């Protein structure tokens, strides 16, 4: 079974992935950040490195999707291939940080991959406002994220909301502004109660 966690930069995806993996005994798949050869360069010069970064993410994510489809384990994934293609790449293109030629090339490749990919069995979306995202980005203190612009985050947030409003698969939305799931056992239980109902309830996966 494939459970995926989606959300903007700084929304708490990795933390929630880790907590749910521990709670349910699921196998976590984390976003390739620390060993990403393009990420630091991208935040210094987005226009120069946007295509390289997105192709890197797309290839890693597609490999993960194939491996997940072949696995018999319960796997929880930190960020999905859909976010790269429906949110991050179009946002870069709209902001003039990815050329028309590169975006068309990227989109053609994604569409080909999607002919071989199905939706996760459950999508968990963490919805967080810009102030919450900024506070959490500052808290974790990654040097390369200090140059992230507010308008870049806002563009991503708008695209996330459009994407999730038309998402066709099983979905849970987590209030990232008010549910402090890392610090509050009660808040975390609110999330796991929803997951239990969706995956293991009397009428699961409706």
């Amino acid at each position: 079974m494939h459970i995926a966690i989606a959300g903007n930069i700084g929304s708490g995806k990795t933390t929630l992935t880790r907590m749910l993996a521990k709670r349910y005994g699921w196998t976590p798949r984390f976003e390739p950040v620390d060993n990403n050869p393009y990420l630091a360069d991208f935040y210094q010069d987005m226009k120069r490195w946007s295509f390289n970064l997105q192709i890197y993410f797309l290839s890693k994510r597609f490999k993960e999707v194939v491996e997940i489809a072949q696995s018999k384990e319960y796997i929880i994934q930190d960020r999905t291939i859909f976010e790269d293609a429906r949110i991050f790449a179009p946002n870069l293109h709209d902001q003039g940080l990815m050329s028309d030629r590169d975006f068309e090339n990227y989109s053609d490749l994604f569409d080909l991959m999607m002919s071989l990919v199905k939706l996760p069995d459950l999508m968990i979306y963490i919805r967080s406002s810009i102030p919450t995202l900024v506070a959490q980005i500052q808290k974790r203190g990654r040097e390369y994220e200090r140059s992230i612009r507010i308008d870049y985050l806002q563009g991503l947030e708008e695209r996330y909301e459009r994407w999730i409003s038309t998402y066709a698969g099983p979905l849970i939305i987590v209030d990232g502004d008010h549910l402090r799931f890392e610090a509050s056992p009660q808040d975390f239980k609110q999330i796991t109660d929803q997951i239990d109902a969706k995956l293991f309830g009397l009428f699961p996966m409706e």
Side-chain angles (χ1 to χ4, degrees):
M1 183 171 286
H2 180 195
I3 299 94
I5 299 188
N8 208 337
I9 300 168
S11 60
K13 297 181 303 300
T14 300
T15 298
L16 188 57
T17 299
R18 187 179 297 111
M19 293 176 69
L20 291 175
K22 181 179 179 180
R23 163 68 173 76
Y24 290 100
W26 295 338
T27 300
R29 291 289 189 109
F30 294 105
E31 186 177 18
V33 171
D34 292 337
N35 298 319
N36 188 316
Y38 295 106
L39 202 57
D41 289 328
F42 168 73
Y43 282 128
Q44 291 299 317
D45 188 347
M46 289 185 173
K47 191 167 187 178
R48 164 64 183 86
W49 295 103
S50 63
F51 182 72
N52 305 70
L53 178 72
Q54 291 306 129
I55 288 295
Y56 173 83
F57 275 130
L58 190 63
S59 66
K60 293 293 185 182
R61 217 83 73 183
F62 184 67
K63 181 184 178 189
E64 277 195 331
V65 168
V66 172
E67 291 173 352
I68 290 169
Q70 296 172 345
S71 175
K72 298 185 183 301
E73 298 180 301
Y74 275 69
I75 293 176
I76 183 164
Q77 183 186 26
D78 174 4
R79 184 164 282 155
T80 68
I81 194 170
F82 306 100
E83 292 164 84
D84 289 317
R86 299 303 184 211
I87 294 160
F88 283 84
N91 187 56
L92 290 166
H93 179 245
D94 285 351
Q95 293 191 347
L97 298 171
M98 184 184 291
S99 70
D100 292 343
R101 179 178 60 181
D102 285 346
F103 183 64
E104 289 171 8
N105 187 7
Y106 176 91
S107 299
D108 286 346
L109 181 58
F110 173 75
D111 289 341
L112 175 62
M113 290 177 174
M114 285 304 95
S115 66
L116 306 171
V117 171
K118 68 172 187 174
L119 293 175
D121 296 293
L122 177 63
M123 179 73 73
I124 302 170
Y125 170 56
I126 306 175
R127 172 179 281 147
S128 300
S129 65
I130 296 299
T132 297
L133 297 175
V134 170
Q136 294 183 169
I137 290 170
Q138 289 176 338
K139 180 181 177 181
R140 68 189 182 190
R142 293 174 181 165
E143 182 67 30
Y144 56 79
E145 290 182 339
R146 291 185 179 182
S147 59
I148 296 178
R149 303 195 313 258
I150 294 296
D151 65 326
Y152 178 67
L153 285 177
Q154 288 172 332
L156 294 176
E157 181 189 33
E158 291 168 4
R159 285 195 168 275
Y160 264 110
E161 289 301 317
R162 287 202 296 271
W163 170 63
I164 215 66
S165 69
T166 60
Y167 184 75
L171 173 68
I172 290 172
I173 297 179
V174 173
D175 184 348
D177 286 344
H178 298 103
L179 287 181
R180 306 300 182 187
F181 48 82
E182 183 176 14
S184 170
Q186 292 81 8
D187 287 356
F188 183 56
K189 187 176 184 299
Q190 286 190 42
I191 298 171
T192 59
D193 283 350
Q194 293 183 70
I195 293 172
D196 290 343
K198 281 283 187 182
L199 296 183
F200 313 118
L202 185 60
F203 302 103
M205 311 304 291
E206 287 191 342

